[in-house]
Amino acid sequence: MANRDSENSVLTREQVLALDIATHTGYFSLHEAGTWNFTESKRRNGNKMHGAFRTTLLSLLRRYGIRRVVAEDVSVNRHFYDMRRLSELRGILLEVCEELDIPEPEFVNPAVLKKWATGDGHATKTQMVAACKDRYGIVPVDDNAADACHLFYYYIRRHRL
């Protein structure tokens, strides 16, 4: 649990983590960034995605003293399976934040993020990667990492960190 001194201190950029939650979860902080792969396979004993996501997330949050999380919101589309999987991972995120006494994550609508990053609320993955390179000079490993990078900068600009 966090102590009262850290709860009352001013939030810094170093204490923010951005996540694009999915089977391939993009993550971005000033400490590290990239994409975690939670693809299920028989080599990993089948259905281990949820535990792996929880363990990985807890480790990063504790290692760097993360105090705020921003994540891309679950987008409902024609693929029920995708929506269900993202909702499950979002639930794990909420539970982990509660366990570590971190405020509930701020969720950002994907169209709002795309509009902010590129000027187009329907931007493609390629456009989001290009905008990451152009705006921040960061070359993301993939579109998931690019989305997480944009989420981070969206959050710190919105909250003036």
Side-chain angles (χ1 to χ4, degrees), residues 9 28 33 36-37 56 63 78 85 93 97 106 112 117-118 121-122 136 138 154 160:
S9 64
F28 187 94
W36 295 317
N37 183 353
T56 302
R63 183 178 327 123
R78 296 179 305 205
R85 183 66 76 199
L93 172 61
C97 287
E106 181 172 320
V112 169
T118 68
H122 300 286
Y136 319 114
I138 295 171
Y154 174 86
R160 296 181 173 91

Side-chain angles (χ1 to χ4, degrees), residues 140-154:
V141 295
D142 62 14
D143 60 286
N144 303 300
D147 287 354
C149 181
H150 288 300
L151 282 163
F152 177 85
Y153 285 104
Y154 174 86

Side-chain angles (χ1 to χ4, degrees), residues 10-13 16 68 155-161:
V10 176
L11 181 68
T12 65
R13 292 176 178 200
V16 175
R68 292 292 189 284
Y155 182 88
I156 64 169
R157 180 152 189 226
R158 183 167 185 215
H159 294 281
R160 296 181 173 91
L161 298 178

Side-chain angles (χ1 to χ4, degrees), residues 18-146:
L19 297 171
D20 179 20
I21 302 171
T23 302
H24 294 96
T25 296
Y27 66 99
F28 187 94
S29 75
L30 293 182
H31 308 284
E32 61 180 85
T35 299
W36 295 317
N37 183 353
F38 300 112
T39 304
E40 296 174 335
S41 72
K42 297 208 183 278
R43 288 179 291 178
R44 289 182 20 178
N45 296 323
N47 190 12
K48 301 291 185 181
M49 171 191 281
H50 300 95
F53 177 72
R54 185 179 193 287
T55 301
T56 302
L57 183 59
L58 273 167
S59 175
L60 188 130
L61 293 172
R62 287 179 174 147
R63 183 178 327 123
Y64 298 118
I66 300 297
R67 292 180 41 218
R68 292 292 189 284
V69 177
V70 59
E72 194 170 74
D73 208 353
V74 174
S75 178
V76 178
N77 57 27
R78 296 179 305 205
H79 305 285
F80 176 77
Y81 178 81
D82 294 342
M83 180 188 67
R84 185 182 72 204
R85 183 66 76 199
L86 291 173
S87 296
E88 291 167 353
L89 294 173
R90 178 179 165 152
I92 292 167
L93 172 61
L94 291 168
E95 185 272 330
V96 164
C97 287
E98 186 175 306
E99 177 179 330
L100 296 179
D101 204 23
I102 295 172
E104 185 172 314
E106 181 172 320
F107 292 99
V108 178
N109 180 287
V112 169
L113 183 66
K114 289 177 180 188
K115 176 79 172 170
W116 181 81
T118 68
D120 177 2
H122 300 286
T124 65
K125 293 175 181 191
T126 303
Q127 289 172 306
M128 292 294 280
V129 170
C132 194
K133 293 175 190 174
D134 295 343
R135 289 182 80 166
Y136 319 114
I138 295 171
V139 179
V141 295
D142 62 14
D143 60 286
N144 303 300

